[in-house]
Amino acid sequence: GGSCSHFFPLFRRFRRSGWRKLYTYTKMDLPMQDLANAGVTDGEGRNIKESLMRRICSVIGSYYGCSASALRPRTWKEPHFLKYSTDVAPPHCGVEMHYDGCNITWNLMLSDETDYDGGGTYIRCLRKTVKLLQGQVLIHPGELFHKGVDITRGTRYLAVCFVDGHDPEIQDLSSGKGNHELWEKNTVTYFG
C-alpha cells in the first residue's frame, strides 16, 4: 500500500511531450518507462515505475489473495500514461467499448476532478460509470468490457497497467444487446 501522492508532481514535469499511440483504442499514450529512462525517481530515490508497480501490485495481491511478486506488466509499455483532452486536434475524449485481454487492469487517477468534465470508466456488466478522485485506483479483471466515457472539457490523465500473473477467473457475461446510453450516466464516485 502507501500513498501515490508523491507521484503527481513528478508526472507533471513530463506531461507535455512524448505522447504517441501505443494501443488500438487510445491515441495519446506515454510509457512510464520514458520517465524511468530519464532518471525520474519516487521521493525515496527508487525507480518510479518499479515503485508504483510494487505499491499497486501489493493492493492487487491483497484483494485477490495472490502473490504480489507473481504480478507483472504485460509488455514493456506498461504501465503507461493515458491522456484524454478536448484541447488537442483532433480531440481524444474517450475510448470505445473494449476489453483489455490481460488478467487484471489498474487505472490510477492523476488529474484533479476540476481539470475536466465528464469522463469515468463505464463497466458494462455493472451498468455503472466509475469516477475516480485524484490518487484513487480502479482495479478490475482485464476481461470486463468497459469504455472510457468522453470528457466534455479539459484534460484527464491516468496511469494504466495491464497485468498478468494471476487470473481472477471472473468472466464478463454481459452483452452489448440492450446497451443504453443512460447507463453511462449512472455514475458512482467512491470517497474514502
Side-chain angles (χ1 to χ4, degrees):
S3 170
C4 298
S5 60
H6 67 280
F7 183 71
F8 306 130
L10 300 172
F11 167 70
R12 284 188 197 104
R13 290 182 12 214
F14 285 83
R15 68 182 185 185
R16 294 201 188 334
S17 63
W19 296 97
R20 54 198 179 269
K21 182 175 179 160
L22 294 177
Y23 295 99
T24 303
Y25 296 107
T26 58
K27 297 172 182 51
M28 300 179 83
D29 305 290
L30 177 67
M32 196 173 292
Q33 187 62 45
D34 287 7
L35 272 71
N37 291 343
V40 176
T41 61
D42 67 6
E44 299 164 17
R46 292 182 298 245
N47 175 297
I48 193 71
K49 177 179 172 180
E50 292 169 11
S51 178
L52 190 61
M53 283 298 297
R54 185 176 53 257
R55 289 170 189 261
I56 295 178
C57 285
S58 173
V59 173
I60 294 170
S62 295
Y63 183 78
Y64 285 110
C66 64
S67 168
S69 62
L71 301 171
R72 64 193 180 288
R74 174 154 270 205
T75 72
W76 69 269
K77 303 173 195 175
E78 303 306 321
H80 66 281
F81 299 109
L82 176 56
K83 176 180 180 180
Y84 297 108
S85 183
T86 59
D87 302 329
V88 296
H92 178 55
C93 300
V95 176
E96 64 190 72
M97 186 70 69
H98 66 284
Y99 66 93
D100 297 326
C102 58
N103 292 149
I104 298 168
T105 298
W106 61 256
N107 301 301
L108 167 64
M109 178 53 65
L110 299 173
S111 296
D112 184 84
E113 63 266 21
T114 61
D115 294 341
Y116 65 93
D117 292 327
T121 303
Y122 175 72
I123 300 176
R124 187 169 74 188
C125 65
L126 299 178
R127 295 185 178 166
K128 290 190 185 322
T129 296
V130 178
K131 288 192 79 166
L132 301 174
L133 301 175
Q134 186 180 55
Q136 290 183 321
V137 177
L138 171 64
I139 299 168
H140 64 84
E143 294 295 320
L144 293 186
F145 280 89
H146 61 284
K147 69 182 273 185
V149 177
D150 285 353
I151 62 169
T152 57
R153 177 197 62 84
T155 302
R156 176 178 178 236
Y157 293 101
L158 298 157
V160 177
C161 190
F162 306 133
V163 178
D164 287 326
H166 175 75
D167 183 353
E169 298 180 13
I170 298 173
Q171 295 181 352
D172 186 339
L173 301 177
S174 66
S175 162
K177 199 176 216 178
N179 269 348
H180 197 285
E181 285 184 30
L182 285 179
W183 291 341
E184 288 181 29
K185 296 180 188 328
N186 187 9
T187 303
V188 178
T189 303
Y190 294 95
F191 300 93

